[in-house]
């Protein structure tokens, strides 16, 4: 069997940009020479983010080999061009994965990932060297290359140089092979921590890169802090950066460590990092310092007593060489509730230029708000006033005002909305902020925005008016029902009018009740209006024996308006998932407002028919989120902001248990479509209950979900559960 090699085509953005800069600045021969010199600083820097796990996972053969010989062959191409090719022969020393029974392995330059004309440069390998080969069969006709990691930026990363068969990197590879075989993310984290305790130097980088994927489970192991603290003090920038990246994620998991001394030692290690790199200006060192500052802030948030932190962070607010470090220092300083911290942050925000980078300004605002909300509002009001008069961008101020719901800033927002030179992004944030403030004085501005042709602005302005949900807003919206060209917006306007006893949208709702993409919106309009015509018109439609789509729409409309016969018919349909109306009936049940219709949905949630399962889950989610009474209607289900999460909905205990059991089964089943599992987990979070913590932990432990959005959601729920436990204990 001929072993070809994995190509490095999955580089991260920063790795790709780094590789492009290097290709422009350095000749291939210099890169190869630097890769061989592992002890040099330049070589070590090239190992930033070194990740061997993907390559080891895909490899068919992993072995330690000695370079037995390097030979050269010159051929003539095109009758006039000499092309030099090299053959590299490797003697197997130790096979770590796969099978290999030959005495030697012969490879070409193309197999090694070298360019076709590499014969004009010094060979990247020398006879007698020990190298780690990670090999995979490359499908198709394209010849592969050695790849120690997808995205490797140097030959040394793809074909690591070893000191021998007992090089520390060999034991790291053995651990990564075990990690790939483990079927539990927690077990994978444990294996990596076990090995990290015994490894130091550059060989630790692949372990740390892999450990970062399981930082949530690594945080549950008390040993992790000691290993990360040791690695954070390593002289190699690559090792320090990798260790601090893991530390950030470990501390973000909000685990309460039993040994406070470990956190204090970690703080001292961070101090060493920050002081040792203080005079450096390299981009890589800056990223390390930012990670250290972020970790320091997370330690302070855990109420760790760090005596030197306050004065040092105050100094960094003005003396750090980069604005990013100053912003990170402000966030860390906001965790120290002390008059000096408040004064320093207030001064930093007041002295920040009006055209400060929006993200940096937002960081300063959030930091000061955490300690002194009143002072933050006063400074915001002043900055907004000055920015309006200067004609500068307003995004940072407006976003903070909306987030804080700063009522005193409303007059200034209304003035800004009248300015002709306001940038589009600022107008979007203005519309959003006016909706957050909830004052009817913003209604004329928002309705005027709705008359414009900017679709995104109209969407935000209409959502703001829905958030206001006042009689004044409905009255000003009423004339727009006829002139609005977009059907989706028309239905939302009609729903808003129905909430305030204007029945102008009745005809629109009945006309589009059977439109597959608008049935839910039209149904809620009819349910809100509760017009006497609804029963008569829809009953007549059913009596005419319409097609399946019209029949389902009519049943949905009647059930939503409280018709007992329609609800009984829907309940009958839901008992048989083979009924052609099953998916439609499930959606209708979610809008009917009848908790008795949810019990049959518990069984349909586990249907192997994806459409039925998704419809049932969406229906349950709509019911639990109170869509019938939401100003946003069905769109409220898709809102992820905390404001959209409802209070616990009362359900019969039997119904709640049945649904909780079904969604837990679906969410935890690795053979079910990921979209269905995500929807099931969303329902589980709305149900709350004792099962939720266990379900989140089970999902976070599944290796099949590693790197997916569902795994991230499960990890976030685990952090939320820990926060609830801490608040109850306090």
């Amino acid at each position: 069997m001929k072993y070809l090699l994995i190509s490095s085509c999955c580089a991260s953005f920063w790795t790709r940009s780094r590789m492009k800069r290097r290709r422009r600045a350095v000749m291939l021969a210099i890169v190869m020479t630097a890769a061989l010199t592992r002890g040099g600083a330049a070589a070590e820097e090239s190992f930033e983010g070194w990740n061997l796990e993907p390559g080891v996972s895909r490899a068919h053969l992993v072995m330690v080999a000695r370079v037995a010989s390097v030979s050269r062959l010159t051929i003539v191409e095109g009758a006039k061009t000499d092309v030099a090719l090299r053959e590299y022969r490797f003697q197997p020393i130790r096979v770590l994965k796969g099978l290999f029974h030959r005495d030697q392995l012969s490879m070409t330059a193309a197999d090694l990932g070298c360019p076709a004309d590499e014969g004009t440069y010094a060979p990247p390998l020398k006879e007698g060297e020990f190298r780690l080969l990670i090999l995979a069969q490359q499908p198709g006709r394209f010849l592969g290359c050695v790849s120690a990691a997808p995205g490797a930026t140097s030959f040394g990363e793809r074909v690591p140089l070893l000191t021998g068969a007992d090089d520390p990197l060999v034991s790291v590879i053995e651990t990564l092979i075990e990690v790939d075989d483990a079927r539990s993310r927690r077990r994978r984290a444990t294996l990596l921590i076990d090995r990290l305790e015994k490894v130091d130097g550059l060989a630790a980088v692949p372990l740390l890169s892999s450990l970062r994927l399981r930082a949530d489970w690594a945080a549950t192991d008390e040993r992790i802090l000691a290993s990360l603290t040791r690695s954070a003090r390593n002289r190699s920038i690559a090792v320090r950066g990798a260790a601090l990246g893991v530390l950030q994620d470990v501390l973000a998991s909000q685990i309460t460590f039993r040994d406070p001394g470990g956190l204090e030692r970690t703080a001292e290690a961070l101090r060493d990092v920050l002081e040792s790199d203080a005079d450096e200006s390299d981009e890589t060192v800056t990223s390390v310092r930012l990670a250290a500052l972020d970790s320091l802030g997370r330690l302070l948030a855990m109420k760790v007593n760090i005596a030197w932190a306050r004065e040092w962070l105050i100094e960094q607010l003005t003396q750090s060489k980069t604005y990013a470090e100053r912003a990170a220092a402000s966030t860390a300083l906001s965790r120290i509730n002390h008059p000096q911290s408040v004064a320093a942050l207030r001064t930093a925000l007041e002295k920040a230029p009006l055209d400060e980078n929006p993200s940096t300004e937002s960081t300063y605002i959030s930091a000061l708000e955490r300690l002194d909300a009143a002072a933050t509002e006063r400074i915001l009001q002043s900055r907004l006033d000055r920015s309006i008069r200067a004609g500068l961008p307003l995004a940072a101020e407006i976003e903070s005002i909306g987030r804080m719901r700063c009522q005193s800033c409303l007059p200034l927002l209304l003035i800004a909305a009248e300015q002709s030179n306001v940038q589009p992004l600022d107008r979007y944030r203005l519309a959003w902020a006016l909706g957050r403030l909830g004052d009817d004085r913003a209604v004329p501005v928002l309705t005027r925005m709705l008359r414009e042709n900017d679709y995104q602005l109209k969407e935000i302005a209409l959502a703001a008016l829905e958030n206001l949900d006042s009689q004044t807003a409905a009255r000003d919206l009423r004339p727009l029902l006829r002139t609005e060209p977009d059907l989706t917006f028309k239905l939302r306007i009609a729903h808003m009018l129905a909430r305030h006893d204007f029945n102008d949208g009745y005809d629109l709702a009945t006309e589009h009740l059977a439109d597959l993409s608008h049935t839910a919106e039209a149904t809620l309009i009819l349910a809100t209006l509760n017009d006497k015509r609804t029963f008569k018109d829809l009953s007549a439609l059913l009596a005419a024996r319409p097609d399946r789509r019209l029949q389902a729409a009519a049943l949905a409309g009647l059930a939503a308006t409280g018709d007992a016969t329609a609800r009984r018919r829907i309940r009958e349909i839901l008992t048989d998932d083979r009924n052609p109306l099953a998916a439609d009936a499930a959606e209708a049940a979610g809008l009917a407002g009848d908790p008795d219709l949810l019990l049959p949905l518990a069984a349909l949630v586990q249907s192997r028919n994806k459409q039925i399962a998704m419809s049932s889950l969406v229906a349950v989610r709509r019911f639990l989120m109170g869509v019938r009474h939401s100003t946003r209607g069905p769109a409220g289900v898709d809102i992820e902001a905390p404001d959209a999460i409802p209070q616990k909905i009362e359900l019969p205990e039997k119904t709640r248990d049945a649904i909780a059991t079904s969604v837990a089964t679906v969410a935890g089943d690795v053979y079910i479509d990921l979209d269905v599992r995500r929807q099931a987990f969303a329902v589980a979070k709305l149900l709350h209950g004792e099962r939720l913590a266990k379900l989140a932990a089970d999902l976070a432990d599944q290796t099949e979900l590693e790197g997916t959005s569902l795994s991230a959601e499960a990890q976030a729920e685990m952090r939320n559960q820990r926060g609830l436990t801490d608040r109850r204990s306090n």
Side-chain angles (χ1 to χ4, degrees), residues 25-80:
V26 185
M27 293 174 59
L28 178 63
I30 298 176
V31 173
M32 292 180 174
T33 303
L36 295 173
T37 314
R38 291 182 61 181
E44 289 189 351
E45 289 177 8
S46 70
F47 285 83
E48 285 180 74
W50 193 24
N51 190 3
L52 291 172
E53 184 181 342
V56 170
S57 175
R58 300 173 191 173
H60 294 76
L61 177 66
V62 180
M63 70 177 178
V64 178
R66 188 179 66 84
V67 181
S69 65
V70 179
S71 59
R72 175 172 173 168
L73 172 66
T74 301
I75 63 174
V76 179
E77 188 176 79
K80 60 181 179 179

Side-chain angles (χ1 to χ4, degrees), residues 47-259:
F47 285 83
E48 285 180 74
W50 193 24
N51 190 3
L52 291 172
E53 184 181 342
V56 170
S57 175
R58 300 173 191 173
H60 294 76
L61 177 66
V62 180
M63 70 177 178
V64 178
R66 188 179 66 84
V67 181
S69 65
V70 179
S71 59
R72 175 172 173 168
L73 172 66
T74 301
I75 63 174
V76 179
E77 188 176 79
K80 60 181 179 179
T81 303
D82 290 346
V83 177
L85 300 177
R86 285 199 179 93
E87 179 187 31
Y88 303 89
R89 291 185 176 273
F90 296 91
Q91 176 189 359
I93 301 298
R94 185 177 174 188
V95 176
L96 305 177
K97 179 181 178 181
L99 298 174
F100 190 80
H101 299 298
R102 286 180 283 163
D103 294 333
Q104 285 189 334
L105 173 64
S106 177
M107 306 186 74
T108 66
D111 294 329
L112 289 171
C114 299
D117 61 344
E118 59 88 31
T120 60
Y121 302 105
L125 301 174
K126 296 180 180 179
E127 293 183 4
E129 288 180 338
F130 289 88
R131 291 282 179 165
L132 177 67
L133 298 180
I134 302 176
L135 314 177
Q137 289 181 310
Q138 183 74 34
R141 291 177 294 176
F142 178 78
L143 293 178
C145 64
V146 173
S147 177
T153 60
S154 69
F155 184 81
E157 291 180 38
R158 294 195 300 272
V159 193
L161 176 65
L162 306 175
T163 58
D166 296 325
D167 189 282
L169 187 60
V170 176
S171 65
V172 169
I173 295 298
E174 291 176 324
T175 297
L176 293 179
I177 293 172
E178 287 186 74
V179 166
D180 185 52
D181 290 337
R183 307 319 305 158
S184 162
R185 293 183 67 246
R186 185 168 195 162
R187 173 61 180 161
R188 288 182 172 184
T190 301
L191 289 169
L192 292 167
I193 293 172
D194 290 343
R195 179 55 58 189
L196 187 61
E197 286 187 308
K198 306 169 186 175
V199 175
D200 199 4
L202 204 58
V205 176
L207 291 174
L208 293 165
S209 297
S210 293
L211 196 55
R212 192 164 189 181
L213 293 173
R214 297 102 189 178
D216 52 320
W217 288 116
T220 63
D221 193 321
E222 291 280 340
R223 300 174 297 163
I224 187 62
L225 284 181
S227 295
L228 293 179
T229 299
R230 173 170 49 82
S231 296
R233 287 192 166 101
N234 194 280
R235 67 181 183 85
S236 166
I237 294 175
V239 179
R240 291 205 305 274
L244 290 170
V246 179
L247 181 61
Q248 284 179 279
D249 294 343
V250 165
L251 296 177
S253 298
Q254 300 178 6
I255 293 290
T256 302
F257 292 92
R258 294 189 298 271
D259 178 19

